[in-house]
């Protein structure tokens, strides 16, 4: 990356600070570095955007179209360029989608700021104008927004599909989009209809099959085998499930201990005692009617031993071991049960119930599925499949984006047209507004309004269309009042984008413009880079 | 030297003295000078600078520091990127003078003095950290000119002292106090907060944040203990979504299977190990001869834990907050008893929590009656952005509150926190010392005018120094104007003309780019801040001026570890 080398890091032992650079040079270097980052992801924008292959230092290869992922892996050093990486991360956190858009937008705004600065405009004037612009732009977007009813599943599916269309897995969008919608809607709590916690949606990846085989599981899926070293059951119906946090193995005290064996008979006795001890525990478990055990991983001692597995298999208890501690909350929430930390507390009222627990073989591995859970909590699991690790990872990232899109819609129930329509409309209305203003603001806003056209321009360019023709026609159509006219990349022409079902959540667009403006303003206000401890 | 002169003088009378002696004497002198030069007083690597050179070194160092932060002054001041050379090359973007100076590598001793005054300013009043350094820098710049004119540093110092005293009196006379009128006082606070914030990142939302800060500070009811105002940063959303919440928010999770909402909570805050009470004697171990006994001991350990939990529950609590981890077993016991247990709260968290709920931090549980429990009306889980937090409302200590900052990135959040902290400091100081001044370069012009008058009345060389002081004061509005890209020479002369009238509120209106009425624009500053800037800048200047020799000690030699 040439950009990172643009500003050499000057630091020597005797220098107390670096003040040799002229302020404008610093600003210019920052802007150029940040734009280089934006240019790097530019080609991945839109449904016909290209993917990037990233080879990380440890030899791992990632193929992705997701702006946030690309930037995250780029390992940028230049501070201003780093800010753009943070920008895409913020967009990921705020809206989950539009991570490329926000960076491209910021890049274009920076380019425009640079020309304004070289024309002699004071950076704070540019920054103020940008702030006014972003507020106004959000108003314009609100004006274009279409209210949405959550019961309108079609609309939700459409917007999830728009998000998926630019990904590697776009051909599966008809499958993944409804899946994402169902997943999110099933975890919405009727008591708090505006809040979705995406942690309630668990994504389990399993290599093998194709993305087509991805499914939504009403229940729980573990990417683990049932432990059947001792020939225990692999399928249990009418399961009574216990989540245990204690160990079924010979006792071990926290204080150091040793057993003194002085003769042969004692050895026999100890072995017998060990058997009895474990048998006692297993009997207690069985007594409650439990027939499925989920055992938390333990680092202090073995969670289960061969012996205990043997006994558990004898009493027909299905065992899943090595459950991570941080998964416990999700599991207990889903199964509507309580974790059990001591054998003494093993009571029936702490168990969860499910109609079926079974081990299924998927691809080369096996998974455990728990379905038909009684009083299931508001969680859901998506089992993602893919033919190779790269596709699988990308499918997961894409699905995450789609989930975020649906979440955005649940938070803020408005849709907006896609395909560059909002950007052109913003550009047009802001351009008109600039004419009403006076002074520096007017000049800057006019320039920035034009800079917004970068999105439709890039969309067209990435799709191999004649971008100038497309953008000018788009401008023309919007001037005539067709506010929903946008680029139809499939057909290669301008159409009413709403009829093509290309919609996205309002939140994605508004947060993209406000975040991009905020980031650009921050970069503009910097006039020095100081090396510190 | 003196003795040599005497000898020379004496010799003049003895005209008959022969050339031989003279020559040998001269050789003597040279030899003495040689020996002085060659005698090492100091260690090898130690250096020494004297007189003019030393003074120049400190002037240059101090002015360079002042110039570095100069551009951050005023509402249109710029930010700096601080790039750390440590691991990860962390990046901070800031406008806060103290933060910038604090993190610099500095070798120059005079520069260090300036960094120190900025730090002290930060601790004392919280704001004006840039102004104080800039003013000291300007005072030194003026002093340098005077020194070049062969005015003795002590004379300059005397003049500066008089000028500072005079300037302070001028401020005292002009300061207004609205403490008696709560409405006006509140509006004063709002103005001060807005003025402080206007030079920061929160500029665009300054009204919102000024209100947050004023509300938070007024809740404190006069105490300057900012501890009870907690600031939580959560990425996501925009700055405008930040809010003030009465009560306390803990960034932790509630244990599994425990109540998520408790009314009239009785809280026990503790710092105790919730795994097992181990025997702490080294090498202690249990020796048994059968499995059953191991099981017994394990059971006993469990039993001990159960007793401990029972003791805790016996305090009659329904919420238990521990600094250390709570393991699965006790967690389950708490869940069974319907007690809400929060594990692994950080030091800061529990100390604050103990403070605001009015409880003690306990570590033994044998005497329930001697432990003071904390109380609050309601504990519940709330969601901010994507994270779940625990919210304690209706706490014992009414003045406690939490400000939740939202922002697009961690840079924005960190800077917002620093800015808000500045505003809170200033406000809490103002609540105690409620005198206010106008802002926008107004106080500097007022002081400058008074100091000028004084210069005219003062006879002697000191008047030069006093005049220089007045110049230095004017530099602050000049820099504010320059940073805003305005024509500073023009503005300052206009401003000076305005101030020649007896009462004026004229200052620099950065937004419109002209001279404006500060009263109408609502730009105010705390008297305490201005006074601290004036006095500590003068003191620092005096200290640096007094220096005529810099001795750098030899660096301590490190053992070669190769």
């Amino acid at each position: 990356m040439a950009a990172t080398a643009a500003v050499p890091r000057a630091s020597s032992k005797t220098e107390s600070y670096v003040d040799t650079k002229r302020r404008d040079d610093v600003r210019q270097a920052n802007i150029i570095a940040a734009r280089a980052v934006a240019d790097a992801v530019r080609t991945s924008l839109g449904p016909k955007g290209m993917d990037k292959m990233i080879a990380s230092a440890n030899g791992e290869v990632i193929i992705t179209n997701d702006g946030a992922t690309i930037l995250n892996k780029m390992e940028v050093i230049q501070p201003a360029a780093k800010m753009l990486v943070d920008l895409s991360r913020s967009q990921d956190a705020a809206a989950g989608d539009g991570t490329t858009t926000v960076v491209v937008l910021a890049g274009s705004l920076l380019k425009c700021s640079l020309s304004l600065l070289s024309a002699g405009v004071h950076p704070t004037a540019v920054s103020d104008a940008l702030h006014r612009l972003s507020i106004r732009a959000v108003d314009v977007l609100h004006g274009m927004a279409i209210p949405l009813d959550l019961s309108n599943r079609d609309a939700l599916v459409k917007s999830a599909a728009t998000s998926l269309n630019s990904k590697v897995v776009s051909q599966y969008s008809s499958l993944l989009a409804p899946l994402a919608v169902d997943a999110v809607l099933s975890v919405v709590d009727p008591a708090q209809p505006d809040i979705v916690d995406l942690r309630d949606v668990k994504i389990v990846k399993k290599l093998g099959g194709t993305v087509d085989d991805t499914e939504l599981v009403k229940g729980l899926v573990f990417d683990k085998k049932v432990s059947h070293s001792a020939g225990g059951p692999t399928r249990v119906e009418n399961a009574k499930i216990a989540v245990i946090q204690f160990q079924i193995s010979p006792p071990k005290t926290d204080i150091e201990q040793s057993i003194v064996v002085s003769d042969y008979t004692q050895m026999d006795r100890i072995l017998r005692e060990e058997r009895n001890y474990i048998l006692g525990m297993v009997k207690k478990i069985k007594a409650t009617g439990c027939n499925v055990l989920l055992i938390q991983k333990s680092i202090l001692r073995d969670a289960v031993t061969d012996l205990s597995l043997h006994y558990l298999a004898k009493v027909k208890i299905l065992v899943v071991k090595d459950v991570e501690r941080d998964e416990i909350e999700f599991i207990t929430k889903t199964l509507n049960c309580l974790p059990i930390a001591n054998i003494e507390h093993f009571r029936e009222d702490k168990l969860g119930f499910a109609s079926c627990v079974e081990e299924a073989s998927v691809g080369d591995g096996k998974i455990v599925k728990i379905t038909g859970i009684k009083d299931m909590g508001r969680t859901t699991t998506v089992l993602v499949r893919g033919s190779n690790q790269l596709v699988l990872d990308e499918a997961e990232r894409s699905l995450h984006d789609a989930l975020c899109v649906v979440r955005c819609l649940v938070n803020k129930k408005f849709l907006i047209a896609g395909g560059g329509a909002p950007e052109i409309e913003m550009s047009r209305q802001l351009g008109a507004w600039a004419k009403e203003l006076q002074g520096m603001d007017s000049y800057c806003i006019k320039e920035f309004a034009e800079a917004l056209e970068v999105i439709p321009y890039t969309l067209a360019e990435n799709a191999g269309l004649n971008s100038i023709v497309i953008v000018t026609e788009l401008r023309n159509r919007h001037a005539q009042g067709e506010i929903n006219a946008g680029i139809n990349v499939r057909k290669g022409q301008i159409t009413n984008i709403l009829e093509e079902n290309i919609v996205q959540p309002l939140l994605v667009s508004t947060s993209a413009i406000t975040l991009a403006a905020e980031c650009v303003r921050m970069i503009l206000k910097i006039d020095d880079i100081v090396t510190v401890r | 030297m003196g003795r040599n002169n005497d000898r020379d003088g004496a010799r003049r009378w003895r005209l008959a003295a022969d050339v031989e002696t003279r020559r040998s004497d001269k050789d003597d002198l040279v030899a003495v000078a040689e020996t002085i030069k060659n005698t090492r007083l100091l260690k090898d690597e130690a250096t020494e600078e004297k007189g003019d050179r030393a003074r120049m070194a400190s002037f240059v160092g101090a002015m360079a520091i002042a110039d570095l932060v100069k551009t951050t002054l005023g509402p249109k001041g710029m930010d700096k990127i601080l790039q750390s050379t440590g691991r990860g090359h962390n990046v901070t973007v800031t406008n806060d003078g103290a933060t910038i100076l604090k993190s610099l590598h500095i070798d120059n001793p005079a520069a260090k003095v300036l960094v120190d005054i900025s730090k002290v300013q930060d601790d004392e009043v919280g704001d004006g950290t840039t102004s104080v350094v800039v003013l000291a820098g300007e005072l030194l710049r003026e002093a340098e000119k005077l020194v070049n004119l062969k005015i003795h540093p002590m004379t300059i110092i005397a003049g500066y002292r008089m000028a500072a005293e005079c300037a302070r009196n001028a401020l005292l006379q002009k300061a207004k106090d609205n403490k008696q009128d709560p409405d006006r006082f509140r509006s004063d606070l709002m103005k001060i907060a807005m003025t402080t914030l206007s030079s920061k990142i929160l500029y665009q939302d300054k009204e919102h944040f000024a209100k947050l800060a004023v509300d938070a500070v007024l809740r404190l009811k006069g105490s300057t203990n900012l501890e009870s105002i907690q600031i939580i940063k959560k990425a996501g959303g925009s700055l405008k979504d930040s809010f003030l919440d009465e009560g306390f928010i803990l960034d932790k999770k509630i244990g599994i299977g425990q109540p998520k909402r408790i009314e009239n909570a009785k809280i026990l805050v503790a710092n105790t190990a919730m795994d097992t009470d181990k025997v702490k004697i080294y090498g202690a171990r249990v020796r048994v001869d059968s499995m059953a006994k191991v099981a017994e001991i394990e059971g006993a350990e469990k039993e001990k834990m159960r007793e401990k939990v029972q003791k805790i529950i016996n305090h009659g609590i329904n919420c238990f907050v521990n600094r250390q981890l709570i393991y699965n077993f006790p967690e389950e016991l708490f869940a069974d008893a319907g007690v809400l247990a929060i594990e692994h709260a950080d030091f800061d968290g529990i100390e604050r929590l103990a403070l605001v709920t009015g409880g003690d931090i306990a570590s033994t549980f044998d005497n329930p009656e001697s432990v003071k429990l904390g109380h609050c009306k309601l504990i519940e889980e709330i969601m901010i952005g994507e994270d779940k937090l625990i919210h304690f409302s209706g706490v014992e200590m009414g003045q406690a509150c939490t400000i939740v900052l939202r922002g697009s990135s961690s840079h924005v959040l960190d800077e917002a926190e620093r800015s808000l902290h500045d505003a809170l400091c200033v406000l809490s100081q103002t609540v105690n010392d409620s005198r206010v001044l106008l802002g926008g370069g107004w106080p500097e012009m007022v002081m400058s005018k008074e100091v000028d008058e004084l210069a005219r009345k003062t006879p002697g060389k000191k008047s030069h120094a006093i005049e220089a002081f007045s110049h230095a004061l004017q530099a602050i509005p000049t820099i504010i104007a320059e940073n805003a890209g305005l024509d500073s020479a023009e503005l300052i002369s206009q401003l000076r003309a305005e101030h020649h009238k007896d009462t004026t509120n004229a200052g620099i209106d950065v937004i419109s780019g002209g001279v404006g009425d500060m009263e109408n624009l609502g730009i105010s500053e705390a008297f305490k801040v201005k006074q601290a800037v004036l006095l500590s800048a003068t003191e620092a200047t005096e200290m640096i001026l007094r220096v005529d020799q810099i001795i750098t000690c030899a660096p301590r030699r490190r053992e070669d570890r190769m």
Side-chain angles (χ1 to χ4, degrees), chain B residues 171-172 175 433 435-437 525-532:
Chain B
L171 282 188
L172 267 177
D433 181 348
R435 284 170 290 182
V436 289
L437 296 166
E525 279 179 84
F527 172 75
K528 206 166 174 187
V529 173
K530 278 290 152 194
Q531 175 182 295

Side-chain angles (χ1 to χ4, degrees), chain A residues 17 21 23 87 151 162 261 267-268 295 308 315 414 440:
Chain A
Y17 58 93
K21 283 166 276 187
R23 308 222 142 80
L87 169 70
S151 55
T162 310
V261 181
M267 221 161 104
D268 249 3
I295 302 176
S308 56
V315 293
F414 284 100
M440 212 47 103

Side-chain angles (χ1 to χ4, degrees), chain B residues 189-435:
Chain B
L189 286 182
M190 276 297 280
K191 282 180 193 167
I192 291 176
M194 288 213 276
T195 312
T196 305
L197 293 174
S198 66
S199 62
K200 314 278 173 172
I201 194 171
L202 305 174
Y203 162 60
Q204 298 293 353
D205 306 310
K206 62 180 173 186
E207 266 178 56
H208 182 72
F209 282 98
K211 206 168 158 307
L212 281 186
V214 171
D215 284 347
V217 168
L218 285 180
R219 285 180 75 91
L220 291 180
K221 301 192 183 74
S223 102
T224 49
N225 181 10
L226 292 180
E227 288 266 297
S228 44
I229 300 179
Q230 188 198 17
I231 299 182
I232 285 189
K233 297 174 283 182
K234 279 277 160 220
S238 72
L239 286 171
K240 227 178 255 163
D241 300 333
S242 309
F243 60 93
L244 179 85
D245 194 289
E246 44 194 77
F248 183 84
I249 294 177
L250 195 65
D251 192 355
K252 283 283 168 273
K253 270 189 172 164
I254 296 177
I256 299 163
Q258 292 163 352
K260 303 272 181 211
R261 185 188 154 91
I262 288 185
E263 282 181 37
N264 286 327
K266 296 189 201 76
I267 306 160
L268 180 66
V269 185
N271 180 4
T272 182
M274 292 303 280
D275 41 358
T276 337
D277 286 337
K278 275 187 193 142
V279 181
K280 294 231 171 62
I281 305 163
Y282 178 74
R285 54 160 55 198
V286 182
R287 223 175 257 274
V288 287
D289 59 358
S290 76
M291 205 67 175
K293 287 191 176 154
V294 179
E296 256 171 44
I297 291 168
E298 199 194 8
E301 278 174 349
K302 286 262 150 63
E303 203 49 49
K304 264 188 89 144
M305 194 70 245
R306 193 195 301 275
E307 269 171 31
K308 189 168 182 180
V309 171
Q310 199 51 47
K311 271 186 200 160
I312 293 171
I313 295 171
N314 284 347
H315 285 70
I317 54 165
N318 46 19
C319 173
F320 177 67
V321 183
N322 193 14
R323 194 189 74 75
Q324 299 178 26
L325 284 172
I326 300 176
Y327 280 60
N328 295 331
F329 178 62
E331 185 179 318
E332 193 192 6
L333 293 176
F334 281 123
D336 280 353
V339 172
L340 194 162
I342 301 163
E343 65 166 7
H344 214 210
D346 46 18
F347 259 125
D348 228 24
I350 60 160
E351 271 176 18
R352 276 224 182 95
L353 189 64
L355 179 76
V356 299
T357 57
D360 287 341
I361 298 176
S363 51
T364 52
F365 308 100
D366 292 329
N367 308 308
E369 58 284 348
S370 70
V371 176
K372 215 174 136 208
L373 297 180
H375 293 278
C376 82
K377 292 250 162 54
L378 178 69
I379 302 177
E380 60 182 339
E381 216 176 24
I382 53 166
M383 225 172 143
I384 300 176
E386 289 207 354
D387 295 320
K388 279 187 180 148
L389 305 168
I390 305 168
H391 183 220
F392 299 78
S393 54
V395 291
E396 194 102 312
M397 191 163 140
Q399 51 262 67
C401 61
T402 303
I403 294 177
V404 180
L405 285 178
R406 309 295 313 279
S408 55
S409 72
S410 57
H411 298 152
V412 174
L413 282 176
D414 289 348
E415 180 66 0
E417 187 192 2
R418 278 190 291 270
S419 314
L420 198 61
H421 177 255
D422 279 8
L424 289 174
C425 283
V426 174
L427 288 176
S428 68
Q429 295 292 339
T430 320
V431 170
N432 288 338
D433 181 348
S434 59
R435 284 170 290 182

Side-chain angles (χ1 to χ4, degrees), chain B residues 41-55:
Chain B
L41 284 173
L42 305 168
K43 257 193 185 171
D44 264 3
E45 282 166 55
T47 56
E48 179 182 31
E49 285 182 44
K50 286 182 180 169
D52 281 350
R53 273 182 64 85
R55 208 167 280 131

